[in-house]
Amino acid sequence: MIIREQHLHVAKPKYGSRAFSTFMYFIFVLATICLFTVFNKSFGQIVATSDPVVERIVEVVNEKVPQYNGYTIQITAATIKPDLKTAVGQAYDNKPIKVNPTRFQNSVKQQLVNDGVSTLVINSSIGASIETKLTNEYQNAFQNKYLLEFRDQLPTYKMITYLVMLVTFVIGTLFRIRYHRSKY
């Protein structure tokens, strides 16, 4: 009789606690993966400078860059890739997005020289004013709403991710402890 009474007081393991804690740990791992990928500056720069992304951006920039007296100015991936990496890095660092236009300006000058425009014309005041306009258009291409919104919202999303990691780890651990204690 005493044995039966002792058997009645043994708590059964709470399997729901185990499943819920496993689910919490799964969410914790997903948040950690996001932290090391999407919210990581190096990863963002690699993705942003991948060939398909750069090709699309080159198309958009070439559509926006004005032409010079009938000469077609074409920006290449080699010109834009380092500047894109810089712009994305500045967005991750929550800094104003400003790229150095020297590579772009040299590319434009070289294209005009290749098309037969005299270096005297390129370096004249007319050429300088057109270069300024082209440079402004090029720099404005990096001031697009997607990159600016990303820059402004990144700190909030990182904070939410850290909070999710903390909460899911703590809740998962508490439910795991509850499960282990209920077994004994």
Side-chain angles (χ1 to χ4, degrees), residues 46-179:
I46 289 170
V47 170
T49 57
S50 65
D51 289 338
V53 175
V54 171
E55 287 172 11
R56 179 65 186 131
I57 291 172
V58 166
E59 289 174 15
V60 170
V61 170
N62 281 332
E63 289 173 5
K64 289 186 177 189
V65 172
Q67 304 309 312
Y68 175 75
N69 285 345
Y71 293 101
T72 303
I73 308 296
Q74 292 292 314
I75 308 307
T76 63
T79 302
I80 204 168
K81 206 172 203 176
D83 292 335
L84 182 59
K85 185 176 181 178
T86 300
V88 169
Q90 291 168 342
Y92 271 93
D93 293 337
N94 201 18
K95 294 180 179 175
I97 299 171
K98 183 102 171 132
V99 296
N100 183 349
T102 305
R103 187 178 297 104
F104 168 74
Q105 291 167 343
N106 292 338
S107 173
V108 169
K109 286 179 183 178
Q110 187 60 47
Q111 287 180 46
L112 292 173
V113 167
N114 291 346
D115 287 343
V117 178
S118 167
T119 55
L120 292 174
V121 172
I122 294 172
N123 295 327
S124 71
S125 61
I126 296 170
S129 68
I130 291 174
E131 179 181 322
T132 301
K133 184 177 180 180
L134 289 172
T135 301
N136 287 338
E137 287 294 326
Y138 181 71
Q139 287 183 328
N140 287 339
F142 291 100
Q143 301 297 323
N144 67 62
K145 70 176 185 173
Y146 303 111
L147 197 55
L148 295 174
E149 284 176 5
F150 175 77
R151 180 195 66 198
D152 295 341
Q153 294 173 356
L154 182 65
T156 304
Y157 290 144
K158 274 183 151 179
M159 183 187 66
I160 290 170
T161 303
Y162 281 123
L163 186 63
V164 166
M165 288 174 62
L166 176 68
V167 168
T168 56
F169 184 77
V170 169
I171 291 174
T173 301
L174 291 175
F175 272 84
R176 186 61 62 153
I177 290 169
R178 180 179 177 214
Y179 169 72

